[in-house]
Amino acid sequence: MKRPVMIALDFSSTDAVEEFLSKMPNESLFLKVGMELFYSSGVSLIHQLKERGHQIFLDLKLHDIPNTVEKGMKALARLNVDIVNVHAAGGSEMMKRALEGLHAGTPTGIERPKLIAVTQLTSTSEQVMQQELKIHGTMKETVQAYAKLAKESGLDGVVSSPLEVPLIHEACGESFLTVTPGIRLAGDAVGDQKRVTTPIDARKLGSWGIVVGRSITASADPTKSYEKVVAEWEEQS
Ligand code: C5P
């Protein structure tokens, strides 16, 4: 798989997705579908996007008892999506069973979806993690420990901030995948993201793939912004 630029389809309806895609180049894209869109437009949208040649990161962040996550992943694997994810906080047994579910559900002759884990949400501060979640290490120690647990459970990688990539590579090796949101083109509005990175800097920090939402989706010219992101990203290859 080429190191991807994934576009976050943070829309609430199929119509909004179609309107956005009509402004994009007519080529195969890597699209991230999250809870809002999946819960409103369901599997039919995934089938439509796949039939048109797009790749999909289905960002549903499963976190439940191992048996439920295994069965859920078995169902998601049948959608022929390319990346799915879980919360590492569900523990090693849950992550292993998620992988088993994916193996069981992947149709013959098709590559298993990559499975990555969320370590700590980038919206969680160290203070909230320690005081509310009662996790007593530092954010750095926790992200590294959760990434290591994901790797030992057989997962392909993690979702993280680009700024955390070096410490994840230190704990898990360079080949462990890092998918990183929080990306902005220089000069774009930061919005609610706390710490943002340009595509060039994400690449320099070692991100395997980047997730870009509003820098492309809220742009007056989404194709131009997408091409700018890809040019920055691929220049570092
Ligand atoms: O618009 P923006 O580029 O900020 O969108 C980032 C996307 O990545 C959103 O879909 C957001 O939910 C997702 N994401 C994130 N931070 C995480 C995990 C996912 O921003 N830690």
Side-chain angles (χ1 to χ4, degrees), residues 8 10 32 61 122 181 184 193 211-214:
D10 290 322
K32 183 176 88 69
K61 301 184 182 75
T122 46
R184 289 289 180 276
Q193 293 284 12
V211 174
V212 188
R214 285 161 288 183

Coordinates of all heavy atoms in Angstrom, one line a residue, residues 8 10 32 61 122 181 184 193 211-214, ligand 1:
A8 N -10.6 13.0 5.4 CA -11.7 12.7 6.4 C -13.0 13.2 5.8 O -13.2 14.4 5.7 CB -11.3 13.4 7.7
D10 N -15.9 14.1 6.9 CA -16.7 14.4 8.1 C -18.0 15.1 7.6 O -18.2 16.3 7.8 CB -15.9 15.3 9.1 CG -14.8 14.4 9.7 OD1 -15.1 13.3 10.0 OD2 -13.7 15.0 9.9
K32 N -11.5 8.6 4.6 CA -11.8 8.1 6.0 C -13.3 8.4 6.3 O -13.8 9.5 6.2 CB -10.9 8.9 7.0 CG -11.2 8.4 8.4 CD -10.3 9.0 9.4 CE -10.8 10.3 10.0 NZ -12.0 10.2 10.9
K61 N -13.4 2.9 15.7 CA -12.8 2.8 17.1 C -13.5 1.9 18.0 O -14.1 2.3 19.0 CB -12.7 4.2 17.7 CG -11.9 5.2 16.9 CD -11.8 6.5 17.7 CE -11.0 7.6 17.0 NZ -11.8 8.3 15.9
T122 N -6.2 12.3 20.9 CA -5.5 13.6 21.0 C -6.3 14.7 21.7 O -5.7 15.7 22.0 CB -5.0 14.0 19.6 OG1 -6.2 13.9 18.7 CG2 -3.9 13.2 19.0
P181 N -3.7 12.1 12.2 CA -4.5 13.3 11.9 C -3.8 14.6 12.5 O -2.7 14.5 13.0 CB -5.8 13.0 12.6 CG -5.6 11.9 13.5 CD -4.2 11.4 13.3
R184 N -2.5 20.4 8.9 CA -3.0 21.6 8.2 C -1.9 22.1 7.2 O -0.7 22.0 7.5 CB -3.1 22.7 9.3 CG -4.3 22.5 10.2 CD -5.6 22.7 9.5 NE -6.7 22.5 10.5 CZ -7.3 21.3 10.8 NH1 -6.8 20.2 10.3 NH2 -8.3 21.3 11.6
Q193 N -8.4 21.6 16.6 CA -7.2 20.8 16.9 C -6.2 21.5 17.8 O -6.0 22.7 17.7 CB -6.5 20.4 15.5 CG -7.3 19.5 14.6 CD -7.3 18.1 15.1 OE1 -6.9 17.7 16.2 NE2 -7.8 17.2 14.2
V211 N -4.1 11.9 7.8 CA -5.5 12.1 7.7 C -5.7 13.6 7.6 O -5.3 14.3 8.5 CB -6.3 11.5 8.9 CG1 -7.8 11.9 8.8 CG2 -6.1 10.0 9.0
V212 N -6.4 14.0 6.5 CA -6.6 15.5 6.4 C -8.1 15.7 6.2 O -8.7 15.1 5.3 CB -5.8 16.1 5.2 CG1 -5.9 17.6 5.1 CG2 -4.4 15.6 5.2
G213 N -8.7 16.5 7.0 CA -10.1 16.9 6.9 C -10.2 18.3 6.3 O -10.1 18.5 5.1
R214 N -10.5 19.2 7.2 CA -10.9 20.6 6.8 C -9.9 21.3 5.9 O -10.4 22.1 5.1 CB -11.2 21.4 8.0 CG -12.5 21.0 8.7 CD -12.7 21.4 10.1 NE -11.8 20.7 11.0 CZ -11.8 20.8 12.3 NH1 -12.6 21.7 12.9 NH2 -11.0 20.1 13.0
Ligands
C5P1 O1 -10.6 18.5 9.9 P1 -9.4 17.8 10.5 O2 -8.2 17.7 9.6 O3 -9.1 18.4 11.9 O4 -10.0 16.3 10.7 C1 -9.2 15.3 11.3 C2 -10.0 14.0 11.3 O5 -9.2 13.1 12.0 C3 -11.4 14.0 11.9 O6 -12.1 13.1 11.2 C4 -11.1 13.6 13.3 O7 -12.2 13.0 13.9 C5 -10.0 12.6 13.1 N1 -9.1 12.3 14.3 C6 -8.4 13.3 14.9 N2 -7.6 13.0 16.0 C7 -7.6 11.8 16.5 C8 -8.3 10.8 15.8 C9 -9.0 11.1 14.7 O8 -8.4 14.5 14.5 N3 -6.8 11.5 17.5

